[in-house]
Amino acid sequence: MLEDIATIFIASALINNFVFQRYLGLCIFFGVTKRMETAVGMSITFTSVMVISAALSWLIYKNVMIPLNLGFLKIVIFIGIVSGFVQAADTIMKKVTPGLYYKLGIYLALIVTNCIILAVPLINASEKYDLLQSLTLGLGSGAGFSLALIIMASIRERLELADVPKSFEGLPISFVLTGLIALAFLGFSGMIPL
């Protein structure tokens, strides 16, 4: 059982990283990685929302949707759960850390429709994970997304001091870097058989 949990965590964080292997969540990825402060803030918020929504989605799916044969409403219900937690995180962040709240701006609201947040409960439902496995997938996916944000933010901050050709400044060099990091993450693909 512990091996399964470790496998799910490592696979979701490194091997099947949503940004570098599945190319999901790129809007927030490119938007908040200009500064390390916003990348770390989004990492914490995103991972928290992902773990809590994974747990609540699992509970509602197993205890309400399956018994009532409402599996066809997965996407609608999961989006509702995520939007509730994002609204709560939005309100808490506005009160606790207003500076970070204003730096994250529109990207905080985009968590609601982020495909990674929605992918986790959908994967949990399709793989028939139990609660601990669902939490592990949420935490591992959040850790993988956080790792992607922090790696990219650190590189983009360093690039401000580099002599980048004019045609590659801004988003073009970010796409090139993302491709190179994704190639590096392919090295993890043989770690654990899934």
Side-chain angles (χ1 to χ4, degrees), residues 16 18 22 24-25 46 50 53-54 57 74-75 78-79 82 111-127 129 134 137-138 141:
N16 296 321
F18 279 110
R22 298 181 185 204
L24 299 174
F46 200 87
M50 191 175 303
S53 66
S57 297
K74 280 189 287 199
I75 293 176
F78 293 162
I79 287 175
V82 170
I111 292 177
V112 173
T113 57
N114 192 291
C115 43
I116 297 174
I117 296 274
L118 185 57
V120 169
L122 291 173
I123 290 171
N124 286 337
S126 68
E127 296 291 328
Y129 284 159
S134 296
L137 180 66
S141 299

Side-chain angles (χ1 to χ4, degrees), residues 20 29 32-33 35-44 142-157 181:
F20 298 130
F29 174 73
V32 301
T33 55
R35 295 275 172 255
M36 183 63 77
E37 181 185 7
T38 56
V40 170
M42 180 58 82
S43 297
I44 294 167
F145 189 71
S146 298
L147 180 65
L149 289 178
I150 291 168
I151 288 171
M152 191 63 167
S154 63
I155 294 172
R156 286 180 80 178
E157 282 188 353
I181 297 168

Side-chain angles (χ1 to χ4, degrees), residues 20-88:
F20 298 130
Q21 298 300 322
R22 298 181 185 204
Y23 307 108
L24 299 174
L26 294 179
C27 178
I28 290 176
F29 174 73
F30 286 118
V32 301
T33 55
K34 293 176 185 170
R35 295 275 172 255
M36 183 63 77
E37 181 185 7
T38 56
V40 170
M42 180 58 82
S43 297
I44 294 167
T45 306
F46 200 87
T47 303
S48 302
V49 169
M50 191 175 303
V51 170
I52 293 168
S53 66
L56 192 55
S57 297
W58 182 87
L59 288 169
I60 291 173
Y61 183 72
K62 291 291 182 185
N63 298 320
V64 177
M65 294 171 65
I66 289 178
L68 296 176
N69 201 21
L70 297 174
F72 63 95
L73 292 174
K74 280 189 287 199
I75 293 176
V76 174
I77 291 173
F78 293 162
I79 287 175
I81 292 167
V82 170
S83 64
F85 277 108
V86 170
Q87 186 60 44

Side-chain angles (χ1 to χ4, degrees), residues 126-194:
S126 68
E127 296 291 328
K128 297 178 177 43
Y129 284 159
D130 62 24
L131 182 59
L132 185 58
Q133 291 171 323
S134 296
L135 288 171
T136 303
L137 180 66
L139 185 61
S141 299
F145 189 71
S146 298
L147 180 65
L149 289 178
I150 291 168
I151 288 171
M152 191 63 167
S154 63
I155 294 172
R156 286 180 80 178
E157 282 188 353
R158 299 278 300 192
L159 275 177
E160 289 180 3
L161 305 174
D163 187 26
V164 178
K166 189 78 171 159
S167 60
F168 280 98
E169 287 179 358
L171 205 52
I173 194 70
S174 297
F175 277 108
V176 171
L177 287 170
T178 302
L180 292 172
I181 297 168
L183 284 172
F185 268 69
L186 278 175
F188 295 119
S189 64
M191 275 180 53
I192 299 173
L194 294 177

